[in-house]
Amino acid sequence: MRPSIRLLPILLVLLAGLTALAPAGPAHADQTLAYCSEGNPESFNPQFITTNTGINAVLPVYNNLVEFERGTTRTMPGLAESWTVSPDGLVYTFRLRPGVPFHANARFTPTRALNADDVLFSVNRQWRADHPYHPVSGGNYAYFNDMSMGELLTSVEKLDDLTVRFTLARPEAPFLANLAMPFMAILSAEYAERMMAAGTPEAVDMEPVGTGPFLFEGYQKDVWIRHKAFADHWGGPPTLDRLAFSITVNAAVRLNKLKSGECHVMVFPNPADLDRIAADPALKLLKQEELNIGYLAMNVRKKPFDDVRVRRALNHAIDKGAILDAVYGGIARPAKNPIPPTLWSYNDEVADYDYDPDKARALLAEAGLPTGFAAALWYIPVTRPYNPDAKRMAEMIQADLEAVGVRVTLKTEGWADYRKHLQEGAHDMALYGWTGDNGDPDNFFYVLLGCEAARFGGSNIAKWCDPAFDALLHAAKRTTDLDQRSRYYREAQVIAKREAPWVPIAHSLVFMPLRQEVQNYRMDPLGRHSFTGVYLKE
């Protein structure tokens, strides 16, 4: 196939310098897909990543023992071609695919295929504080720790080169789905050993080597990420020759790049642009209800948010209906629970706090704050699937809260620092959100509101820990009976609403604009972008 004239800008800009990176060979028709992403990844090691911005940057590079089927939340074999589970649910034995090759880069040429040592390295680096790689690149394994993986695992053993056994301390219903999540991707132990010996261990996290369908070629902050097709991928080579990420923070600029042909796919269009996109004959607009939640978290470790009456007051003070109209353009549904209504175990019987400023003022007076108080509200600096315009949302919330006596100052930071400081608990109130990673309610409740995740550096940014709520989450993990798990989660939603660590705001409908020449792309309910099987039509 021949690249169209519309592709020339992206080929000239994003692919500048590829001649030096790519092996010499005859010229051939190039299938290069340009993807307009919304920001820089926080790392190129999936063990450090908790946002889809970073996940999508490394998703093409890595494989897991268990994979999610493209466009679904169903699990399927990945690097493990098969597995068995003991009757008590405590022992999982995985048989690895033989002959799976790793990528090479300028620093590393593999001498062997994937084996059990790579699985042990990938788990033990996160788990064992005395592992040589544990402190490398800061050693913050937020997802591994938020999900209590260290407490869940009792051993990970190599039975032979192609067989690995995980032994759990307790049954864990979502364990297989958790293994398919990015933080459990399999890294190359040989590459890590080589880099440690060379005195450059951080290269493992910045110049990733995996077994995925694309290999990493380079990154320029705020500009681009480049991946190249891995011809020796165990599942067969991808249809695309190259995958170029054009890092473009502004949604209007992303759309201009899409319309001009500089990008083939873009994320997170402005809601006001959707009709214009749908009417453009050069474009197509996909849409899907993703598993997401946008919310305001109150830091319960800071006064006056340690008082439930204050937290309830803020729930009454914020006009969510106005926010849905102004920020989401009517393409989201109001949220009242920590999980979306499309996810099993959703409790629709929970009653939301109504918008009632008078009730908010009365609750503040009851809490000893008749004249209100002052607090800072942090807002997200980038477009997210669950929040298309956090600054505007923050300004609307600021106005609502000031109407009941809460004097609000607004604050933001760069995305990486924003996340870091929220996880450390530096904020009073903060806008945040989540897109589910595995289609299990545990992935919302335990990671976002569980006691383990309320630690310093954890993803529970409300820093709320309720023993009764947490006990229900643990009970739900221990049974595979779906009806019983649903009952536990429905009861947990009642507690979360009563104790009000959040103001749940919205579950958004997610739109994906593409150029007409993009073929076989599927939206994913987990917010990942898989380009396996995607190609460009002339």
Side-chain angles (χ1 to χ4, degrees):
M1 289 187 184
R2 182 184 66 225
S4 70
I5 299 229
R6 291 187 298 268
L7 287 180
L8 288 179
I10 193 66
L11 292 173
L12 291 172
V13 177
L14 293 180
L15 304 180
L18 278 180
T19 303
L21 293 169
H28 66 285
D30 191 46
Q31 280 267 311
T32 297
L33 185 141
Y35 161 64
C36 266
S37 66
E38 75 280 22
N40 294 297
E42 59 268 45
S43 173
F44 285 98
N45 181 345
Q47 298 171 335
F48 296 143
I49 294 171
T50 60
T51 70
N52 278 336
T53 305
I55 287 168
N56 286 315
V58 299
L59 189 67
V61 177
Y62 288 104
N63 290 124
N64 292 44
L65 292 176
V66 179
E67 302 277 349
F68 289 113
E69 184 180 345
R70 187 161 72 103
T72 75
T73 60
R74 295 188 294 270
T75 54
M76 58 185 284
L79 294 176
E81 61 183 4
S82 63
W83 57 84
T84 60
V85 185
S86 64
D88 61 4
L90 296 179
V91 180
Y92 290 73
T93 304
F94 295 89
R95 183 67 180 172
L96 305 181
R97 296 180 187 275
V100 172
F102 279 101
H103 306 157
N105 64 22
R107 295 176 181 266
F108 170 69
T109 301
T111 66
R112 63 166 177 79
L114 170 91
N115 69 26
D117 293 330
D118 302 303
V119 179
L120 267 61
F121 168 76
S122 302
V123 176
N124 287 333
R125 175 183 179 175
Q126 301 179 82
W127 183 16
R128 303 296 190 187
D130 59 353
H131 192 281
Y133 259 87
H134 188 80
V136 172
S137 302
N140 180 21
Y141 307 98
Y143 226 135
F144 188 90
N145 293 320
D146 286 349
M147 300 185 71
S148 297
M149 291 295 289
E151 296 177 10
L152 174 65
L153 298 173
T154 62
S155 66
V156 182
E157 303 167 89
K158 172 183 176 179
L159 303 187
D160 59 45
D161 277 353
L162 293 177
T163 311
V164 180
R165 182 169 63 199
F166 287 72
T167 303
L168 311 186
R170 60 180 184 271
E172 181 85 352
F175 183 66
L176 280 175
N178 292 345
L179 289 185
M181 289 164 55
F183 80 100
M184 290 300 282
I186 305 304
L187 285 63
S188 166
E190 184 186 15
Y191 179 40
E193 291 165 5
R194 200 87 60 84
M195 293 303 97
M196 183 66 80
T200 56
E202 293 84 1
V204 170
D205 305 322
M206 293 308 298
E207 301 171 43
V209 164
T211 61
F214 291 88
L215 59 85
F216 175 82
E217 285 198 305
Y219 167 55
Q220 183 174 336
K221 186 178 179 182
D222 298 325
V223 184
W224 48 252
I225 305 166
R226 295 193 295 247
H227 298 303
K228 179 182 177 181
F230 183 41
D232 297 323
H233 184 244
W234 55 270
T239 312
L240 296 169
D241 295 306
R242 288 188 173 91
L243 182 58
F245 288 56
S246 177
I247 299 168
T248 312
V249 174
N250 186 279
V253 177
R254 288 198 297 272
L255 180 56
N256 286 337
K257 287 184 176 183
L258 186 75
K259 290 170 70 67
S260 70
E262 288 186 56
C263 287
H264 296 96
V265 180
M266 69 166 280
V267 291
F268 312 146
N270 284 323
D273 292 331
L274 293 175
D275 289 342
R276 189 157 56 99
I277 294 169
D280 190 324
L283 307 179
K284 50 189 171 182
L285 185 63
L286 308 183
K287 65 179 180 179
Q288 180 170 272
E289 269 195 285
E290 286 190 357
L291 302 175
N292 66 33
I293 173 75
Y295 61 90
L296 180 147
M298 293 163 275
N299 188 344
V300 303
R301 293 183 184 167
K302 290 190 174 183
K303 290 185 177 297
F305 303 107
D306 58 340
D307 190 324
V308 69
R309 293 169 296 186
V310 172
R311 303 197 298 269
R312 290 171 182 165
L314 267 60
N315 270 273
H316 284 299
I318 294 173
D319 186 351
K320 287 195 284 192
I323 289 173
L324 262 68
D325 289 339
V327 176
Y328 295 89
I331 58 169
R333 62 172 81 186
K336 63 180 179 179
N337 290 320
I339 62 172
T342 52
L343 193 57
W344 60 269
S345 80
Y346 183 81
N347 190 345
D348 200 30
E349 295 179 4
V350 168
D352 201 6
Y353 294 96
D354 56 332
Y355 171 56
D356 190 335
D358 290 336
K359 193 176 295 184
R361 293 186 195 96
L363 282 165
L364 290 174
E366 186 181 325
L369 298 165
T371 60
F373 61 94
L377 170 60
W378 293 43
Y379 66 89
I380 301 166
V382 293
T383 305
R384 304 305 300 144
Y386 45 75
N387 192 330
D389 191 342
K391 183 178 181 182
R392 188 175 186 189
M393 183 185 294
E395 290 168 346
M396 294 181 72
I397 291 173
Q398 179 185 43
D400 285 344
L401 296 186
E402 289 186 346
V404 300
V406 181
R407 299 171 297 282
V408 175
T409 56
L410 301 183
K411 180 174 181 177
T412 193
E413 292 183 329
W415 185 223
D417 287 337
Y418 185 88
R419 293 180 53 256
K420 176 178 181 289
H421 288 136
L422 262 57
Q423 289 174 340
E424 292 173 350
H427 57 293
D428 299 328
M429 303 177 287
L431 293 175
Y432 212 50
W434 192 253
T435 298
D437 289 303
N438 63 12
D440 194 290
D442 176 80
N443 183 244
F444 284 81
F445 292 119
Y446 199 80
V447 177
L448 303 181
L449 289 167
C451 288
E452 176 65 26
R455 62 186 170 78
F456 182 87
S459 295
N460 178 349
I461 65 165
K463 303 306 174 187
W464 175 71
C465 173
D466 184 281
F469 179 89
D470 212 55
L472 289 167
L473 305 190
H474 282 278
K477 283 176 174 286
R478 289 191 294 266
T479 178
T480 57
D481 184 319
L482 203 61
D483 289 339
Q484 183 59 57
R485 292 189 74 204
S486 293
R487 285 192 287 273
Y488 289 136
Y489 290 136
R490 285 197 293 270
E491 188 176 345
Q493 287 164 79
V494 173
I495 296 173
K497 180 55 62 177
R498 184 184 70 222
E499 298 303 315
W502 290 0
V503 180
I505 295 172
H507 307 290
S508 64
L509 190 65
V510 176
F511 291 82
M512 183 68 59
L514 308 94
R515 295 195 60 82
Q516 287 287 354
E517 54 263 37
V518 178
Q519 304 295 305
N520 203 30
Y521 180 84
R522 299 181 195 170
M523 290 191 72
D524 188 289
L526 303 178
R528 303 158 304 180
H529 302 298
S530 171
F531 296 99
T532 302
V534 175
Y535 66 96
L536 301 176
K537 183 180 70 174
E538 285 191 77

